[in-house]
Amino acid sequence: MTTTTQLPVNDVALSVRDLKTFFYTNKRCNKAVNGVSFEIRKGKTLCIVGESGCGKSVTASAIMQLLPTLSRIEQGEIVYHSERGDIRLDTLERNGKAMRSIRGSEIAMIFQDPMTALNPVFTIGFQIAENLRYHTAMRGRQLMDKAIDLLRSMGIPAPERRVEQFPHQFSGGMRQRAMIAMAMACNPKILIADEPTTALDVTIQAQIFELMATLKREHGTAIMLITHDMGVVAELADDVAVMYMGNIVEAGTVDEVLRRPSHPYTRALLDSVPVLGRGKNQDIRAIPGSTPDPFNRPKGCQFADRCAYKLDACETALPAETHLSPTHRVMCVRHEEFANGVRS
Amino acid sequence: MLAYVIRRVLIMIPMAVAISFLIYLGLDATPGDAVSFMLSPEQMSGANPERLAELREALGLNQPLFVRYFIWLWGLLQGNFGYTLTGGVPISDLLARRLPATLELAAVALVLSTVFGSILGIISALRRGSATDNTLTVVGMVGVSIPEFFFGLVAITVFALNLGWLPVGGRSMPQYITFWDRLPHLVMPSLVLSIMMTAGVMRYARAAMLDALNKDFIKTARSKGLPEWRVNLLHGFRVALTPVVVLIGFRLPALIGGSVIVEQVFQWPGVGSLFVLSVRNQDYPVVMAVALISVVTVLVVSVVIDVLTAIIDPRVRLGN
Ligand SMILES: Nc1ncnc2c1ncn2[C@@H]1O[C@H](COP(=O)(O)OP(=O)(O)OP(=O)(O)O)[C@@H](O)[C@H]1O
Ligand code: SF4
Ligand SMILES: [Mg+2]
């Protein structure tokens, strides 16, 4: 159902094509990710935005093959364009050797809450060294030296002392830096960050994002950044994908999506937060209504119940995906009007 | 760390004092003349009433309760538990003979139940919902609900009387020299004593393990590309270990209680069977001495468990 324009392949680090991931709980099926396609470009940042429960984390977990046991990749492909050639991640055994050798070394992940994502009973140094031990030839003293270097380069003061401390002895921001140090240990090609700052306070958030921008610049790491925050998107993203109820309803470069938002949901999201560069007197409106029950989804456009522009045609079938430009695509019956019209 | 240990030990002391006082109250309230267990038979024999009155005065038995208590406590600290009412044997001698037997039995049972309980709990958790898990759950429920004496009698009937593989009871024979000679005697009592605790540890280890495996850091560990054994055992069980150790500490009094029954069933010459014997003979000084020893053991072990928890969990160790 999707026709993604193929970028020159050597620009792309990872492609996801028509990915469907379903959950099976109590004999009911939750189509958590229902056919999404996107590409992560080498050295670029793709931001995935959308409300809670739209399937952002499930998409990330699917890439890493870290899905809970009651869920499964139903359809689609996830291709990692490695230096050794293309690898179909979705066909690899979940915790098999091939998948493990990619996890943590070529594709790394950081999570929302660094307090719970770090093991409380092991030192920070141990947890970083573990990553190195499994993916590099480093041993013994080298491991700790490298861990100290990593902590230092993430801006953690007194890394020689910090490396021997436990997660609970770190502040929230420091913990997330340590987490990033761990993820960056083997200099991965792709870093997946699932709401890495939601658990942190605002000033710390800015520091973490600055750190990620630096990493991207210095190491050429491609980043898939999951966030709720449109402000972050404006700051960091090269590409944006807007998710709603398991679909990418709009995607494109950051300019395309932020300047010419062509899906009512994208517009609603943009209206619900202050965006940098759109002046001081912004009209901030919360999105009316709430997301539908995942077990009882609308037949047509998933956003129909909350959309002010709904037509009868919207409710008959899932709107087709249309390309407004080679990179800009949208899933809305009335996209033409929105794409051409000035912002409401 | 050292400060933590010292603090825990210091906290233990007032508790031990309070408990020993309660026990002394019990002892004081029991029928009979206190003089009779504080003197050796030699001193007792040939003592006329005047002499006894003198001795009572000398032993401080006419002093107020608190003073008497401290005199008694002072004696205890020097290893003087008094004499049995039946036979006039020094209680400390009895304990010295019987305590090692009980400690041996309890220690072996403790190790067995900790090891087996943890392993079975881990297997259960890793295969949750499987036939193995369900079987272990049922077996565990049976294990905690059937009393030790029943298991003991069944074991004796089957393995000693019918199959003849193991001795019926006792701990040693005159010709035995090494621990290995005695080992066959130890098998049944220690296994029977460990059943309940194993089942308890297993259930708890399973729950703690499931809890740990649900934590975010498990996902992190997988996201680093670690092999499954390392994710489950190093990251999972290492965290599940803290609650398991705490549980073992809680269950220890039950193990000590269980040993009273098991020692009786297998005629194990330990403190437990001494306890039963003394209760039957209404030999209160011995009963109280055994009670005191048990309570102090539980206290000491609880400190050991606390220190152990602090060692394995840095949040406890460094949090305080
Ligand atoms: N472990 C799970 N068990 C059952 N259902 C799940 C599980 N994880 C996710 N889901 C379901 O999958 C859907 C997508 O969830 P997902 O976690 O991807 O949302 P999200 O976009 O990451 O939201 P958030 O912003 O809150 O993190 C939801 O309907 C959710 O109920
Ligand atoms: S398809 Fe219709 S209901 Fe859905 S977003 Fe577009 S206009 Fe609204
Ligand atoms: Mg999420």
Side-chain angles (χ1 to χ4, degrees):
Chain A
M1 67 176 229
T2 42
T3 48
T4 315
T5 316
Q6 303 284 303
L7 290 160
V9 156
N10 50 9
D11 273 358
V12 177
L14 185 106
S15 345
V16 173
R17 295 190 195 114
D18 202 16
L19 175 71
K20 294 191 178 179
T21 306
F22 298 170
F23 275 82
Y24 297 90
T25 37
N26 304 324
K27 304 221 156 50
R28 294 198 300 172
C29 172
N30 177 1
K31 300 180 177 178
V33 173
N34 197 9
V36 307
S37 305
F38 60 87
E39 274 157 352
I40 305 175
R41 289 190 285 154
K42 284 184 182 160
K44 304 284 181 189
T45 301
L46 166 71
C47 279
I48 302 205
V49 284
E51 275 165 297
S52 196
C54 69
K56 306 182 295 291
S57 298
V58 173
T59 307
S61 295
I63 295 173
M64 292 289 271
Q65 289 261 38
L66 289 172
L67 291 166
T69 37
L70 44 131
S71 59
R72 137 173 126 224
I73 296 178
E74 210 69 23
Q75 187 188 311
E77 41 187 73
I78 301 166
V79 187
Y80 168 48
H81 307 285
S82 78
E83 281 158 7
R84 296 159 284 154
D86 288 1
I87 300 171
R88 278 280 299 272
L89 296 182
D90 55 305
T91 61
L92 298 182
E93 192 195 329
R94 264 189 192 192
N95 297 318
K97 207 163 179 203
M99 192 66 229
R100 292 203 318 262
S101 74
I102 293 172
R103 279 185 197 153
S105 71
E106 293 174 79
I107 308 179
M109 193 160 178
I110 57 176
F111 301 91
Q112 180 168 340
D113 185 353
M115 182 71 240
T116 56
L118 289 165
N119 193 319
V121 302
F122 296 116
T123 62
I124 296 290
F126 176 91
Q127 297 188 56
I128 296 175
E130 220 179 9
N131 209 350
L132 296 165
R133 197 193 310 267
Y134 276 88
H135 300 296
T136 69
M138 279 183 229
R139 291 294 174 269
R141 189 62 231 172
Q142 293 169 301
L143 292 169
M144 275 305 149
D145 289 344
K146 175 73 180 172
I148 292 171
D149 282 350
L150 281 160
L151 288 181
R152 186 179 295 116
S153 61
M154 297 306 146
I156 293 182
E160 295 83 1
R161 192 166 52 82
R162 287 299 195 166
V163 82
E164 284 164 13
Q165 292 189 333
F166 293 90
H168 72 271
Q169 295 170 288
F170 278 53
S171 68
M174 286 297 158
R175 250 177 244 143
Q176 195 59 290
R177 282 171 193 266
M179 191 76 204
I180 297 175
M182 197 166 84
M184 293 302 292
C186 302
N187 208 353
K189 300 278 174 296
I190 304 170
L191 177 67
I192 300 175
D194 190 351
E195 305 191 34
T197 61
T198 312
L200 307 175
D201 61 47
V202 185
T203 44
I204 310 290
Q205 284 187 11
Q207 293 171 10
I208 296 291
F209 285 129
E210 207 177 288
L211 175 63
M212 289 178 64
T214 314
L215 292 176
K216 181 175 119 181
R217 233 182 4 255
E218 290 177 0
H219 298 264
T221 318
I223 297 175
M224 174 172 151
L225 176 64
I226 295 173
T227 177
H228 287 283
D229 189 340
M230 275 297 187
V232 171
V233 175
E235 290 267 313
L236 284 178
D238 297 297
D239 300 310
V240 185
V242 180
M243 277 189 87
Y244 190 76
M245 291 301 285
N247 295 113
I248 292 183
V249 293
E250 181 166 4
T253 63
V254 66
D255 274 354
E256 288 167 335
V257 176
L258 294 193
R259 282 175 204 268
R260 292 184 67 207
S262 303
H263 193 286
Y265 181 60
T266 314
R267 294 181 160 215
L269 269 184
L270 286 169
D271 285 342
S272 68
V273 289
V275 171
L276 236 63
R278 270 220 265 136
K280 289 193 193 76
N281 305 319
Q282 293 174 34
D283 184 11
I284 295 169
R285 274 167 294 173
I287 307 175
S290 55
T291 49
D293 174 9
F295 294 105
N296 186 17
R297 291 160 182 268
K299 190 158 152 268
C301 174
Q302 304 288 302
F303 190 55
D305 292 344
R306 303 166 75 184
C307 180
Y309 309 95
K310 181 179 72 176
L311 302 175
D312 287 347
C314 302
E315 294 186 288
T316 51
L318 210 59
E321 195 174 75
T322 320
H323 278 269
L324 305 174
S325 84
T327 45
H328 194 184
R329 60 197 155 100
V330 61
M331 272 174 79
C332 172
V333 173
R334 299 181 66 176
H335 65 87
E336 273 170 340
E337 297 162 57
F338 303 126
N340 297 331
V342 194
R343 286 195 47 81
S344 53
Chain B
M1 188 68 208
L2 188 67
Y4 179 79
V5 175
I6 291 172
R7 204 165 59 235
R8 275 311 274 112
V9 171
L10 288 181
I11 292 173
M12 188 186 81
I13 290 173
M15 288 171 74
V17 169
I19 287 161
S20 65
F21 183 66
L22 286 179
I23 286 178
Y24 184 76
L25 280 185
L27 196 56
D28 199 62
T30 54
D33 192 340
V35 137
S36 55
F37 77 85
M38 295 193 75
L39 293 179
S40 70
E42 296 82 56
Q43 288 170 303
M44 283 287 273
S45 62
N48 52 28
E50 293 94 78
R51 175 84 186 115
L52 273 184
E54 265 171 47
L55 283 168
R56 186 171 292 126
E57 188 61 41
L59 286 168
L61 289 174
N62 295 334
Q63 303 279 340
L65 181 67
F66 272 102
V67 180
R68 273 179 293 159
Y69 163 68
F70 280 110
I71 292 171
W72 173 76
L73 191 63
W74 182 240
L76 280 190
L77 291 178
Q78 292 165 316
N80 176 15
F81 284 76
Y83 300 85
T84 63
L85 296 181
T86 46
V89 186
I91 295 176
S92 50
D93 286 4
L94 267 187
L95 290 176
R97 210 155 2 98
R98 287 177 171 256
L99 207 52
T102 295
L103 290 180
E104 176 180 278
L105 183 61
V108 172
L110 181 64
V111 171
L112 286 179
S113 48
T114 305
V115 172
F116 286 133
S118 303
I119 292 176
L120 294 176
I122 292 173
I123 293 176
S124 231
L126 292 181
R127 310 223 169 133
R128 87 174 153 288
S130 71
T132 319
D133 179 27
N134 294 336
T135 314
L136 283 174
T137 304
V138 172
V139 169
M141 253 144 50
V142 172
V144 289
S145 45
I146 292 182
E148 276 112 349
F149 73 84
F150 178 79
F151 281 122
L153 294 178
V154 170
I156 289 176
T157 314
V158 176
F159 297 106
L161 300 180
N162 291 352
L163 296 170
W165 291 350
L166 294 164
V168 176
R171 183 185 180 216
S172 191
M173 300 277 220
Q175 72 270 27
Y176 291 174
I177 299 160
T178 65
F179 172 77
W180 302 110
D181 294 332
R182 291 194 283 108
L183 192 60
H185 286 264
L186 187 58
V187 174
M188 280 202 295
S190 58
L191 280 178
V192 167
L193 179 56
S194 66
I195 286 177
M196 233 182 233
M197 183 109 159
T198 304
V201 172
M202 178 180 87
R203 277 164 46 148
Y204 214 72
R206 178 183 184 274
M209 189 71 187
L210 283 179
D211 192 48
L213 291 179
N214 254 328
K215 291 277 163 62
D216 289 352
F217 58 75
I218 291 294
K219 198 171 174 184
T220 308
R222 284 211 178 89
S223 82
K224 293 198 280 186
L226 305 183
E228 281 301 284
W229 69 263
R230 196 174 168 104
V231 173
N232 291 327
L233 297 183
L234 196 75
H235 284 267
F237 188 62
R238 183 64 178 67
V239 168
L241 196 58
T242 312
V244 170
V245 168
V246 171
L247 169 96
I248 291 170
F250 272 129
R251 286 286 170 93
L252 241 113
L255 191 73
I256 290 175
S259 75
V260 173
I261 294 157
V262 170
E263 286 185 6
Q264 200 59 22
V265 172
F266 291 97
Q267 291 147 43
W268 190 260
V271 176
S273 46
L274 173 67
F275 184 76
V276 175
L277 191 74
S278 314
V279 169
R280 200 174 290 150
N281 294 339
Q282 302 186 333
D283 200 335
Y284 301 109
V286 182
V287 172
M288 292 305 176
V290 172
L292 188 67
I293 293 269
S294 317
V295 171
V296 170
T297 311
V298 170
L299 275 182
V300 169
V301 169
S302 78
V303 172
V304 171
I305 295 280
D306 273 0
V307 171
L308 219 65
T309 319
I311 290 173
I312 59 178
D313 196 331
R315 287 165 299 183
V316 177
R317 181 180 353 136
L318 302 165
N320 294 310

